[in-house]
Amino acid sequence: MAPVAPYHVAIVMDGNGRWAKRRLMPRIAGHRQGVESLRRCIRACVQRGVRVLTVFAFSSENWNRPPEEVSGLMELLGKALTREVPELSQSGVRLYFVGDRQGLSERMRQGLAQAEADTAHNERLVLNVCFNYGGRWDIAQAAAGLAARGEPITELALDRAMALAHVPDPDLLIRTGGEQRISNFLLWQCAYSELFFSERLWPDFDEAALDQALAAFAARERRFGQTSEQLVRATG
Ligand code: IPE
Ligand code: IPE
Ligand code: MG
């Protein structure tokens, strides 16, 4: 029997550049292949009963890449919006774009808002695309929002003001590409996420690789600060 899928899976989709380099292709070809891999991953998550998928597509720090790579990534997002949204919507995917929109062009901002509106009725899978996102930005914008409204800064209030307040925290956080770091992804929300690092480059991260991560997750014991004995008592 397949293990119960985690409710919320988050992924740092890393390794596109190296995938392209190994093939003597430009980095943007790796990002293009990365979009294909994401499409496959979304389908697999829907099939496996994952309810929320959150992916890191462009970090606050990725602006520091060569200008042609940055503009290539922006273009890729723009194209993906027009090409993928109808099919995603048909499969029951509800899209959210998570990140600082102020750094994006007006046209891009309109495209993101439109894609969110077009998929707002869907309920099968929530797909959060973190774009121009940084965990530190998220904490700062949440705190600034509370301060502006004169609200006390408590854990609960901050949690509600964070950019992912519409979903529970990730159960499983996967990073592909072999690096073992968070790179300013969901700093607040991954407090108790199970971490899984895959050597696979993101374009090569297929269904079997996802199943490996899900199986590893199913074998973990999540204690949330309690002891193992307490957990056995509560469920046994
Ligand atoms: C991740 O792949 C995608 C983005 C950061 C946009 P990379 O482009 O970081 O790929 P590597 O790490 O250089 O291989
Ligand atoms: C993290 O990957 C960001 C995304 C996957 C969008 P990076 O490739 O930017 O991370 P570092 O620079 O290796 O830490
Ligand atoms: Mg990288």
Side-chain angles (χ1 to χ4, degrees):
M1 209 177 72
V4 176
Y7 188 93
H8 183 174
V9 175
I11 308 184
V12 179
M13 309 183 290
D14 195 25
N16 295 347
R18 279 163 285 164
W19 184 92
K21 195 172 176 190
R22 282 181 195 172
R23 288 163 179 76
L24 305 177
M25 289 155 93
R27 293 180 59 86
I28 195 68
H31 295 313
R32 238 177 264 127
Q33 202 55 39
V35 175
E36 292 306 313
S37 191
L38 177 56
R39 186 192 294 159
R40 175 174 60 197
C41 184
I42 295 166
R43 203 185 323 121
C45 283
V46 168
Q47 284 166 356
R48 284 152 183 77
V50 171
R51 302 304 307 277
V52 182
L53 175 64
T54 300
V55 295
F56 205 6
F58 190 89
S59 76
S60 314
E61 290 74 31
N62 287 147
W63 291 107
N64 298 321
R65 293 195 175 193
E68 62 276 13
E69 181 167 349
V70 171
S71 57
L73 282 164
M74 294 295 152
E75 200 182 312
L76 206 56
L77 177 69
K79 279 196 191 140
L81 279 178
T82 41
R83 214 181 45 203
E84 309 286 342
V85 171
E87 200 188 314
L88 284 175
S89 192
Q90 263 185 359
S91 344
V93 175
R94 178 170 190 175
L95 264 167
Y96 285 88
F97 291 93
V98 177
D100 186 1
R101 298 198 190 190
Q102 275 169 14
L104 305 177
S105 71
E106 179 56 29
R107 206 162 142 239
M108 186 73 85
R109 285 207 294 256
Q110 276 177 9
L112 301 186
Q114 190 62 50
E116 288 181 338
D118 289 350
T119 60
H121 57 284
N122 291 328
E123 292 183 343
R124 197 139 180 222
L125 177 88
V126 166
L127 174 62
N128 299 306
V129 178
C130 297
F131 199 89
N132 196 16
Y133 177 87
R136 289 178 174 178
W137 164 81
D138 197 1
I139 295 167
Q141 68 79 25
L146 294 181
R149 294 193 293 275
E151 291 176 35
I153 296 183
T154 63
E155 265 190 43
L156 186 62
L158 265 177
D159 202 52
R160 288 186 176 149
M162 301 291 289
L164 278 182
H166 56 286
V167 290
D169 287 346
D171 301 292
L172 170 65
L173 186 134
I174 300 170
R175 181 172 186 142
T176 65
E179 314 292 356
Q180 304 196 352
R181 55 178 173 255
I182 301 290
S183 298
N184 198 17
F185 196 27
L186 308 166
L187 299 180
W188 175 271
Q189 298 87 344
C190 75
Y192 269 103
S193 306
E194 294 296 325
L195 308 181
F196 184 88
F197 299 100
S198 167
E199 287 298 320
R200 291 278 182 108
L201 302 175
W202 173 248
D204 294 328
F205 192 80
D206 57 11
E207 288 92 343
L210 176 68
D211 284 336
Q212 237 178 4
L214 298 183
F217 171 81
R220 305 265 178 98
E221 181 182 66
R222 303 183 76 191
R223 290 193 285 277
F224 298 99
Q226 290 191 296
T227 67
S228 207
E229 291 70 23
Q230 284 177 296
L231 298 176
V232 173
R233 230 175 289 140
T235 56

